[in-house]
């Protein structure tokens, strides 16, 4: 995932970048960094930790100037990546440059091999360094053209912000897999950010999304921005942004994430239960309660409850003093953390038939543990509904899913998973239902579900 | 507030105390500490910070033994209290002792003056030190009797855990203002904790509450516990535990906090609107949505929505990377933090008449800011409902409310507050409605609402 | 050991206390703290670490006012003492008080037992708390009289500084075992410090020593100080201050420490070698070089070289990036540290007969290692001379020597020690020679050498 | 300056590198780092701080393997260089590589410009990155040849260690301005280090110096090393290594640093005083004492005292709890630190005519302050002798001297400096005297004195 933000032509740009990163902290908690441009010199501060941990008031104040770019790094399961914080700032033929990026390059290895064969050195594992090298080795006299040349050599799902002496370039890949939006700050400056929730905190107004395949060029002191279409666009926003990743208060491609999640819940309520699982019976008729697995399951559970007309209860309490399960590195800790984080209330659950709404099943271990806890709390029947299709394939476009052999849906049927997690019934959305709920007027990146790796 | 926990006759008692404190982190985030009893010697580690910050695996492992007591300290607004972490361990006439305490002594000043007149020295500002001194200066040959003597000299709302060489004493004041419950761990040991949510995390089963005015004595290696009734009990559990403080998944005096909060919301839905405010009109008939101020307003909003049969929406998104407003020290920061923490979604709110449910209004500044943000998000009508009565008096029994002159309800009527915060209408529960909702078969501590300081 | 400092009637007293403690860092590196008195309120900051580690500019600035007392804590071998930093500030019958102390009470246990029997509680292991309790339990109406009463109950070698609302009391025990001097700051304020090197750094001029058995009372805004003779004095300054502990640039009881160390070296040169050891031969006639074990052996080696007319060379180089051997906790680490700290130069030593001057032999392990290293560096003959008598008894008056059974001189003769450490000869000063060198017009505390525990 | 160390074919190579860096901490205190090679993978840990601060036992243990290189970074006055710690590890065409370097490239700017013109990116300000790029862009199939190609493009005074999968390359520039020696560890492994004091701590024996212009190649598992002469050598070891920088117990080019410093002191004693300064009179005849400015002035003062037959006294006491003056960034702090660090003893100095020996005068401010303090301590006459010539030119070969306009000798005559610092007389060594004392059988780098920038 990761979050990126750019601030252009606004006083204290680094401070606004800081708040933008704060609003998008959910997209990455491992490392944080900001480059600011003061009198055409670029200064960078970056380190491991949350944005509030990396920056003190004092440090932030050293990052002066009206242009800044920032990054929250998402931890990649299982590997230490202490040196891999962004932005990556460097000096190249045309001067100083700094770059942030999210997403993933699929031809990274080939590009890197070709670069090192030609004399490049790599000091990190980040894709960002590839892009920097491609820009640096271009012989085009203008940065804009160098960036275009570089982008033509890479393949992947990414968003990029590149800050030079006087400009900030914002790029989204041809498919627009990751979101990137443009907003206008109150003082007239621009903001570019992965999610619109960053605009809300800063009081910025939404201008428009960066288009798939488009490069936007902001310039120092200039009130408008330039647009260049680099690639033929073929939009395929990542369905996972709606399902799980984005903050519910963000609006992606014109659609409220919260509303989309409610629609996924409604879709679950409206599906005929034979579709995926013969064990479910007619739950909607007899369930006493609908409960979400908080926090990401809440909107879908509300959608389900409203459609199915069953009472909604927040019967699992979440302790927010711990981080997200999805990010934790080892199986052993994750199990402990489920218990540290979620507590079902027997006062609400005892003797009840319940519909539990969650956003996804990855390895199955968390769901298994949740079902156990719900049983222990006295639930009579537990009907698990997942507001997404089965995850059968590894994501490679910027989301850190485990290898295929760890994905329970890659190996088991819905009924087998139901048995494994110990629920009375289990349902997923079908891919069609997902697409229909999100709006079938356009395409989505669905690789985790259908294995159609459209960027190769 | 503060949280206390005791573990008796259970392997790795300090580790269990740690998890108990983790589950009760919401009751105090300023400092944390644990004393453990190993081979009749007491070791203590305490420091400022969350329990996860104070204790590393390594540090926790130095706290060996099968008996431990722990404490989370709640920050007292506006004063630095670096040295005031608990437990307080000391050596006195009968040997080593360690003590944790929550709540507040009302005759602290008199007791302290009398003690210092008799030669005592005080090294902190904590009530705990008063109690220690009273125990130490008693001439009774047994600790049990010394504790009883000491308790007879203090007045206040408190819970206490006292660990000696071989015993843990758990005491609750005569009114039982703060909760304290006994649970049984899976290995047969006992746990005493401020809230039952600590039991859930540890897999402990609820045994019973410590009674108001009761002292429970646990002893090393002993399978049962002794009970001594020290004071005639006149139970008055603090209503704020149900309204705001306790975790919703805790059960206090046999009542689920979540259920109580839902009932407060129902009471709001069922009140006739003339009661408190002539500006409200007939909201229930015309509101489009009910929304909570998250997180503490959620159950009441659900209760309201279910009773009033109006759709419930999570239209304000909370960013959990910041702490609780109530605890922040200065006005200036608090205003910033409201915005950092809460973001209303215009996609849900635009053009809607909404009922907003919050748990309390203290100074009014947070509510004012929330109403502003809801208007900015496009809400057409904003009807604020508070699932508690007006806070007109300072709490002095262990909750950190501001001085009376900062309490908006001490100075303004409901209508004036409504105008101040900019809502279209505003309603509070009456004290009678509160008591009826919580269950009028018993009494509550309601000092913040009625100014009846029953412990003097 | 420990260092104490007091600043009275001087602007930014805490800052001057800080620099005073910095100058006396050699007397204690484990913990540091300062209490300052601002508008008759006492604030204290203390923590583990060097004074430069404990205090930041920002922290120091919070300690306002014109009176302050400070303390460097000397680590006591083998025990964790994290909570034992000084000053100890407390509230007692007459108000706020803060106290620092160095040295040791010999009847601490009896006093403590008597105090706890009477209801006192102890929150640390520091003698300081005993004194505080004795002051607090006195019924005298004036602090001055309470202090005198308290002092009459304790026995030991100590210096004390006690700060109240308006005064600072400086006390030295009847024997004056530890040094304490009064100086005058440039702005007219007073400074009291363990060593005069603190005066030099602050540009203060020496006024006089606090006399053994004397209490000096400084008062807010008062240009003079009061003196009360509490005990009949029988001066016995600790000989170790001259031999090892004090900084060479300090002046103790009118005698330059540097000069005294040189005189000890001269005494070694002038002794007839039969005195202590039949193995030594006539070294002075044949030695090529005199070398010190740096740093504390340097002045004695210079004294020896000048008296014996043998060339002096700094042939052992000391790496100052490590701390003092004497303070390290375990034997195993100490051996490693000798090597980390000292490096003999073979370019100077190869083929030479050398006289090595050190200040003391405690366990013998360091000397053994030094001899090994000198041999390895090519020294032909190694004649070790110790500028002090054999340490046969444990110090109990404030210096952290090991138990008697670890003292090599308690078990072995000079010749046996010589064999153990592997030197070609070994000599100590006799007690008489020591006293004569220091000046036999007065008495010294010599307990480590003669076992005459004159304070019991 | 900086220190570099390499360990080859020795168990726990990183640990030995750590101790080697510890022994050479005086060459750089700003940052420290080690790369270790385990199973042909290179891991690197580096950060700001002393080597003991950067590495914990735990961190050090993660650096496994039998080959390691390490670096202590010397702070460059006035600029923040947080990201400039070494080693710099990178992946290039032939695989992983890590590199450390001390000294300075004089054609760095040209090389860098040419590299960026050809597409290179620079992520730091370190010369090391230049060298890496030159190696990476070479098309030679073997690393050895790539390094040689790279070295032919750079000019400067440097030592380099380059670690690849299986080898460590050690290189010294054609002039051998900085020292680099080879030693043999007790287990048969090799050590390469800037100074031989690192060998002493590890018990390694000296093998030989790396020759100017030579590249030594150590290989995994191989008992011997290969030597390649890359440049015609024209040895010019930096005279400052003898005068100031190196530890006295190091042996450079076969000469003991301690002995050389003594010889510089002797040269001062033997010079006729007319040479440099008409104010000095015949000091040697009438001085009472010779005193050093500790620590670096000690050997020269001993040499002077022995040659002039005047008593030597350690009359200025140094507080080792602060770092080296020379390294501190701003003038203001430096003045304070002189006082914090040095304290002259009036008991030794009062009424005396003294010769003060220091190693250099850079800006003159430290000397001025020392003279003031000596006067204040009562010295009657102060004759300052500098065991080096006047520093009239900026060093550019790896020593951080200030710009020429800050060098007092660039602007003032000896007599004017004498007046400025307030001494009664002042003498420097002439360049000829320096060279003669060090041994005129070979050449030295003397740029600071004669401005002969022989590497351009």
């Amino acid at each position: 995932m990761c979050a990126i933000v750019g601030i252009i032509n606004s006083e204290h740009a680094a401070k606004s970048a800081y708040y933008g990163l704060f609003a998008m902290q959910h997209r990455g908690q491992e490392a944080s960094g900001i480059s600011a441009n003061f009198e055409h010199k670029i200064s960078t501060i970056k380190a491991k930790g949350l944005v509030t941990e990396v920056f003190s008031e004092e440090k932030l104040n050293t990052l002066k100037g009206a242009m800044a770019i920032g990054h929250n790094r998402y931890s990649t399961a299982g590997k230490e990546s202490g040196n891999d914080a962004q932005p990556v700032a460097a000096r190249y033929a045309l001067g100083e440059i700094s770059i942030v990026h999210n997403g993933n390059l699929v031809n990274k290895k080939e590009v890197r091999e070709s670069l090192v064969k030609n004399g490049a050195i790599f000091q990190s594992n980040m894709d960002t360094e590839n892009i920097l090298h491609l820009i640096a080795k271009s012989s085009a006299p203008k940065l804009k053209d160098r960036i275009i040349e570089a982008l033509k050599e890479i393949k992947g799902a990414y968003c990029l912000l590149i800050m030079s002496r006087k400009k900030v370039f914002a790029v989204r890949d041809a498919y627009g897999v990751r979101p990137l939006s443009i907003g206008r700050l109150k003082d007239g400056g621009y903001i570019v950010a992965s999610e619109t929730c960053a605009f809300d905190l800063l009081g910025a107004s939404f201008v428009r999304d960066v288009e798939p395949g488009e490069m936007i060029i902001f310039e120092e002191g200039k009130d408008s921005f330039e647009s260049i279409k680099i690639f033929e666009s073929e939009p395929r926003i990542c369905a996972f942004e709606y399902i799980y990743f984005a903050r519910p208060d963000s609006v992606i491609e014109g659609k409220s994430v919260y509303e989309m999640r409610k629609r996924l819940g409604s879709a679950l309520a409206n599906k005929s239960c034979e579709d995926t699982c013969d064990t479910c019976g007619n739950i909607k008729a007899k369930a006493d309660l609908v409960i979400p697995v908080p926090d990401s399951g809440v909107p879908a559970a509300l959608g389900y409850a409203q459609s199915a007309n069953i009472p909604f209860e927040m019967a699992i309490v979440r302790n927010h003093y711990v981080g997200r399960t999805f990010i934790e590195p080892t199986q052993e800790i994750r199990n402990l953390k489920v218990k540290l984080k979620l507590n079902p209330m027997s006062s609400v659950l005892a003797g009840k038939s319940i519909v539990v709404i969650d956003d996804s099943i990855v390895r199955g271990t968390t769901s298994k543990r949740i079902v156990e806890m719900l049983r222990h709390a006295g639930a009579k029947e537990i009907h698990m509904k997942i507001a997404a299709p089965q995850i059968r394939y590894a994501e490679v476009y910027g989301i850190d899913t485990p290898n295929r052999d760890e994905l329970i849906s890659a190996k088991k049927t819905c009924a087998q998973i139901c048995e494994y997690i110990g629920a009375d019934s289990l349902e997923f959305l079908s891919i069609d239902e997902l697409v229909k709920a999100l709006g079938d007027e356009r395409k989505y990146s669905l690789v985790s579900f259908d294995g159609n790796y459209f960027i190769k």
Side-chain angles (χ1 to χ4, degrees), chain A:
Chain A
M1 300 219 290
C2 304
I4 63 176
V5 67
I7 305 289
I8 304 97
N9 295 331
S10 181
E11 217 188 342
H12 305 311
K15 202 155 215 168
S16 296
Y18 170 87
Y19 285 118
L21 292 177
F22 175 81
M24 300 187 295
Q25 188 73 78
H26 62 289
R27 293 185 77 86
Q29 292 98 40
E30 182 171 281
S32 206
I34 295 172
S35 283
N37 187 326
F38 182 57
E39 297 179 351
H40 305 137
K41 293 206 164 177
I42 294 175
S43 302
T44 301
I45 293 175
K46 57 183 177 177
K48 287 182 103 168
L50 300 179
V51 65
T52 51
E53 295 165 348
V54 171
F55 293 96
S56 61
E57 181 87 29
E58 195 191 347
K59 277 190 185 168
L60 200 53
N61 288 339
T62 67
L63 294 178
K64 292 176 190 161
M67 297 206 314
I69 59 173
H71 188 266
N72 282 334
R73 180 174 177 79
Y74 174 70
S75 129
T76 318
K79 26 178 167 164
E80 173 63 36
S81 45
N83 299 319
D84 288 2
Q86 298 191 26
V88 179
R91 182 173 288 281
Y92 78 116
L94 303 184
E96 280 183 280
I97 195 174
S98 184
I99 184 165
V100 293
H101 128 278
N102 70 353
N104 206 30
L105 304 190
V106 295
N107 66 336
K108 149 168 52 176
K109 215 179 137 198
E110 296 83 335
V111 169
R112 190 164 278 222
E113 273 170 17
S114 150
L115 283 164
V116 298
K117 228 174 266 168
N118 288 294
I121 58 173
F122 280 83
Q123 299 186 38
S124 76
N125 294 315
M126 291 182 285
D127 292 352
T128 328
E129 224 181 337
N130 285 25
I131 299 166
L132 259 177
H133 273 296
L134 291 170
I135 291 170
K137 76 156 197 163
S138 160
S139 53
K142 290 195 160 180
L143 176 52
K144 177 172 72 177
D145 300 314
R146 284 173 176 247
I147 296 171
I148 293 171
E149 267 186 41
L151 295 174
K152 298 221 158 134
E153 297 199 33
I154 60 174
K155 286 179 190 168
Y158 57 82
C159 290
L160 273 181
L161 294 176
I162 298 168
M163 181 164 70
S164 67
R165 269 167 52 90
K166 299 197 170 177
K167 292 180 181 168
V168 170
F169 301 80
V171 186
R172 208 168 155 207
D173 75 78
Y175 297 91
V177 176
R178 299 284 144 233
L180 189 65
S181 303
I182 305 169
R184 190 109 200 212
L185 294 158
K186 282 189 239 154
D187 69 356
Y190 284 102
I191 175 171
V192 201
S194 297
E195 285 191 34
T196 63
C197 62
F199 299 173
D200 297 342
L201 177 56
L202 288 160
S205 53
F206 177 80
V207 173
R208 72 165 172 88
D209 291 322
V210 177
E211 301 280 307
E214 186 185 27
M215 174 161 73
I216 299 289
I217 308 175
F218 300 95
E219 192 169 343
E220 189 189 40
K222 214 164 161 185
D223 197 42
S224 60
F225 53 80
E226 183 188 351
S227 161
I228 297 176
K229 190 77 178 182
I230 303 180
F231 299 107
E232 276 314 294
S233 83
E234 191 183 347
R236 279 172 178 269
I237 183 82
C238 176
F240 260 122
E241 294 282 350
Y242 293 113
I243 293 169
Y244 178 92
F245 285 139
R247 260 177 62 163
D249 48 342
S250 286
V251 174
I252 295 177
E253 300 283 348
K255 295 174 177 177
S256 152
V257 172
Y258 179 81
E259 289 300 329
M260 289 304 107
R261 287 187 190 159
K262 283 189 64 183
R263 290 178 66 169
L264 297 178
S266 288
L268 274 172
N270 295 328
K271 80 180 291 169
S272 70
C273 57
E274 296 85 60
D275 288 358
T276 50
C277 171
D278 57 351
T279 62
C280 72
N282 189 0
I283 304 309
K284 272 169 300 197
K286 61 182 187 180
D288 299 307
L289 302 172
V290 175
I291 71 166
V293 176
D295 289 338
S296 47
V298 171
L302 276 172
Y304 188 100
Q306 288 172 6
S307 290
N309 208 20
I310 303 174
F312 167 91
E313 297 287 352
M314 291 287 279
I316 301 177
V317 171
R318 178 165 174 164
N319 183 347
H320 284 100
Y321 292 100
V322 248
R324 293 180 106 167
T325 301
F326 200 53
I327 285 166
E328 288 307 317
T330 69
Q331 192 58 24
E332 188 187 352
I333 293 177
R334 185 175 307 112
N335 283 346
L336 174 65
K337 291 252 169 123
V338 173
K339 227 183 154 187
L340 287 175
K341 191 160 52 177
L342 301 177
N343 189 24
M345 291 187 279
S346 49
S347 65
V348 181
L349 297 164
K352 298 285 169 46
S353 284
I354 56 170
V355 168
V356 185
I357 308 289
D358 204 351
D359 54 22
S360 58
I361 292 184
V362 180
R363 290 175 186 80
T365 46
T366 301
S367 301
K368 185 179 169 72
R369 183 59 58 106
I370 288 168
V371 171
E372 278 167 29
M373 294 196 301
L374 290 167
R375 291 248 182 261
H376 184 79
K380 197 176 68 188
E381 287 182 30
I382 299 166
H383 301 280
M384 185 75 93
K385 314 275 182 198
I386 305 303
Q390 289 188 256
I391 299 177
R392 292 198 169 93
Y393 301 90
E395 233 285 356
V396 293
Y397 300 154
I399 291 173
D400 184 48
T401 47
N403 291 333
R404 250 206 111 179
D405 54 1
E406 294 182 52
L407 295 171
I408 194 165
S409 289
K411 297 173 292 188
K412 290 185 196 285
T413 64
C414 179
Q416 287 169 327
I417 298 171
C418 184
E419 195 190 334
Y420 172 74
I421 67 173
D424 293 297
S425 78
L426 170 66
E427 278 188 328
F428 291 90
L429 283 182
S430 69
I431 295 177
D432 282 352
E433 285 163 343
L434 167 71
V435 169
K436 206 172 140 205
L438 295 179
D440 52 11
E441 80 290 354
R442 51 167 295 166
K443 284 189 167 177
Y444 299 92
S445 169
L446 301 162
V447 286
S448 304
F449 311 124
D450 65 10
N452 171 19
Y453 294 98
F454 55 95
I455 312 176
K456 288 176 205 179

